[in-house]
Amino acid sequence: KEVPQFDLGTSVLAITGEPSGTLWLGTVKGLIRKDPVSGVTKTYTHDPRNAHSISSDRVWSVTRDKSGTLWIGTNAGLDHYEPNSDQFLHIRNGNKENNSGVFGLLAKGTDSLLIVQQNAIRLLNTKTFAVSEYRNDLQDSGLLTTVDVRTMYVDREGKLWIGTFLKGLTMLDPITRKTVRYLGNIPTIYQIFEDSYGTIWTMSDEGLFLKKNRDTDFSKFIDEGGRILTEFSSGIIEDEQKNLYFNGINRYLRINLKNFEMVVFEVNQQNVHLNDGDLPDNYIGGAFKNKDGNLYFGTRTGYFVLSPGNMRKNSVPPQITISSIRVNSKPLHTDSTNLTDFIAQQHDEISLEYDQNNIVIEFAGIHYGRPENNQHRYKLENYEQDWHTAIKEKVASYSNLPPGDYIFRIKAANSDGVWSERSLKILILQPWWKTWWAYLFYFSLIAVAVISFDRIQRRRILSKERERSREKELAQAKEIEKAYAALKNTQSQLIHAEKMASLGELTAGIAHEIQNPLNFVNNFSDVNKELLLEMKAEIDAGNLEVAKAMANDIISNEEKIKYHGIKADAIVKSMLQHSKSSSGHKELTEINDLVDEFLKLAYHGMRLKDKNLNVAIESNFDPLLGKVAIIPQDIGRVLLNLYNNAFFAVAQKNQHAEGIYIPTVSVSTKVKADIFEIKVKDNGSGIAENIQYKIFQPFFTTKPTGQGTGLGLSLSYDIIKAHGGEMKVESVEGEGACFIVTLPVDGEA
């Protein structure tokens, strides 16, 4: 890249320009104006005899305010340029300090100019030329009374940034009027700049620092090559392509603000060792961007111009070569090739023995376009995490590497920041005693020893374990026997409890059934007593005909008493016959009568429990069904259990029913060829489909805790199976349930 150079024979400390293209250059030998068309330059120097000459030949800063007026900061104070007379007006305010060196100028508003002097920041009214101290709490915080101010900058939010000597960077917020200190351990802040993304950049003795919008503090900028550059002390500017430029000694730095890629460009300058008095060796001139986007940078001998839009990038990456590999201080070679041939072939993989673990690798990235700016980085993967930057010597050294697989990676970039990469696989073998077959041998020895020891131990304890096992088995057998006896006893008690519950239901029904005939007996007995008393009175009165009529009524009532007494006796005998313990022998029994009798008993038992519950009873008995050989006591228990469950289901649903609900229990019998069916159906809540298969299991119940044993349906199921029949359930949850009992018709009596 060719950069136009303009040799003025002196150091350019500051640059600014006019819309016409005229350049104003502040130098150590006066102020220079350069015409953009003719290229003619005019130098303004100090003349003690001329009061309207520039106040000093050393010009530190040059700027134009909002109105286009040119202001010049010199070693002797502040000057104002008057274009009509081509002369200068020195700004004085009766204060000798105002005439000290002005190192920075910054336009503030439309009629104000900030002036940076060594221990002060002053404010100039550009209309009245009045100079005042710019306090804003700066003196109150002790900032300006103890430090040397070197630079300042006003960002887009109006915050004032002040760079100092030995006291770091200070930000003054004009709204809150508070100051914040940054980079307190940095010796000197040379330059401050805000880029188009709102990032604040500052160049210092310790390198380049930046602070993004959301960051709370500054962080050091280190590029991809690991470089930290410190000699770029002034002249920061941004081009139209979002690149940031930093002016330096014999070169300049470019940072891409999108990806933070950094490139350093060399600028060949002549006569760089000019005698510029007390100008610091690392001082570089300012920077300026004109309306065409060209960038102007001051140098030790003049200035140079960049046209960023015309700059081309060298896209050819360096060629990476490995020039030397030493293992244990000896050159690496293979069985068939020497070191030179090996390096020439550029192998990408080497294999070393476990004791060849001290490795030194020399490498280089070859690119002849400004090779002094080539960058090199390296890293040994699987051994270290961070990349190393090779600055002078391109050598990587590793000692006592443990056996394993490694990848030595090398990255190199040309002077334009175009990177290339190469890798070398390094395999350090395990020693023979750590190989897989060695471990297999160790394992085999250990396995044989363990097996042998295990067999010996087994033989020693086998007899003891057998004896202990016998004792444990005997003890377990006794415990099992006790547990089995307890289980049988519990089972018997539960079955007895279920039978007693059925018997209780049966007894309640019987009591209700015989209540009617007993009521008749009691009522007629009371009537006869009254008739006998009246008849006695009539006899005493001599009314024999009336007495005889009363005697006839008494005789009629006695016959009714006898009738109802016989009826109650029949009911009791019938019920006792059904409720007595099963003999185990089948008897010919009228099924319809048995079904009807136990239905009535169950209904009356339900009414005794809940007199407010009215249940609609529907019965449909097949008249063709006659006597069948069954065990009536057992079938009666089955029927009673089914009835009780049906009445319980409709009672439960009635408690929670919303709207019109009529509890209904339907019972029917039907003959089908050689079998008959008994169906008990209710319109209760039904049984969920996922538990229907469990309802005939012992101890399973859907009733609330304490209201069922879970044995009723299980015992009923066993009774029906013993009769050679089947029992099943059909149910839709929320609509009701139907239990179907199927028994053979021709059962033997």
Side-chain angles (χ1 to χ4, degrees), residues 232-411:
F232 297 90
S233 58
S234 63
I236 306 177
I237 200 162
E238 182 179 347
D239 67 9
E240 302 296 335
Q241 289 77 36
K242 307 298 182 183
N243 294 308
L244 207 60
Y245 291 82
F246 298 80
N247 191 10
I249 302 175
N250 301 333
R251 55 182 179 167
Y252 63 95
L253 168 68
R254 185 183 70 193
I255 296 178
N256 188 319
L257 294 178
K258 298 178 181 179
N259 56 21
F260 287 95
E261 178 185 78
M262 184 173 80
V263 181
V264 178
F265 297 94
E266 297 295 325
V267 178
N268 293 323
Q269 299 184 37
Q270 304 295 328
N271 303 319
V272 295
H273 298 295
L274 293 175
N275 182 12
D276 288 329
D278 58 353
L279 190 67
D281 291 339
N282 65 342
Y283 193 92
I284 305 99
F288 170 71
K289 180 175 70 174
N290 69 2
K291 63 179 182 179
D292 297 327
N294 290 333
L295 308 181
Y296 295 79
F297 296 94
T299 70
R300 298 289 297 221
T301 61
Y303 70 98
F304 64 90
V305 184
L306 293 179
S307 297
N310 298 327
M311 299 179 67
R312 295 181 180 180
K313 187 175 183 178
N314 192 331
S315 60
V316 179
Q319 179 182 358
I320 300 176
T321 180
I322 297 176
S323 57
S324 172
I325 301 177
R326 295 190 300 276
V327 177
N328 294 347
S329 303
K330 296 180 180 179
L332 176 68
H333 62 85
T334 63
D335 296 337
S336 58
T337 60
N338 57 31
L339 177 63
T340 303
D341 295 335
F342 178 82
I343 299 303
Q345 294 172 10
Q346 294 294 290
H347 285 75
D348 293 327
E349 182 175 349
I350 59 175
S351 179
L352 304 172
E353 297 296 332
Y354 71 94
D355 55 350
Q356 295 179 298
N357 58 352
N358 298 309
I359 304 174
V360 178
I361 303 174
E362 296 183 10
F363 56 90
I366 300 175
H367 193 283
Y368 296 105
R370 298 190 304 279
E372 66 277 6
N373 292 333
N374 292 346
Q375 304 173 54
H376 300 81
R377 302 178 69 190
Y378 65 91
K379 177 175 70 171
L380 185 62
E381 262 185 20
N382 300 330
Y383 181 73
E384 54 191 355
Q385 296 293 328
D386 300 327
W387 288 86
H388 299 283
T389 301
I391 300 177
K392 294 182 179 180
E393 296 183 357
K394 313 305 184 292
V395 179
S397 178
Y398 300 97
S399 301
N400 299 320
L401 289 175
D405 294 335
Y406 304 97
I407 300 178
F408 181 69
R409 297 193 180 279
I410 310 168
K411 296 174 68 175

Side-chain angles (χ1 to χ4, degrees), residues 674-711:
D674 57 346
I675 64 172
F676 70 93
E677 287 182 349
I678 303 173
K679 288 185 178 181
V680 180
K681 184 177 181 181
D682 65 76
N683 65 344
S685 300
I687 304 171
E689 183 178 358
N690 62 335
I691 64 172
Q692 290 183 15
Y693 72 96
K694 297 192 290 184
I695 62 172
F696 296 122
Q697 297 177 2
F699 308 111
F700 179 80
T701 180
T702 59
K703 295 180 180 178
T705 304
Q707 299 189 32
T709 62
L711 291 173

Side-chain angles (χ1 to χ4, degrees), residues 50-62:
N50 184 0
H52 294 286
S53 68
I54 194 168
S55 59
S56 173
D57 289 343
R58 178 157 295 189
V59 179
W60 292 105
S61 56
V62 181

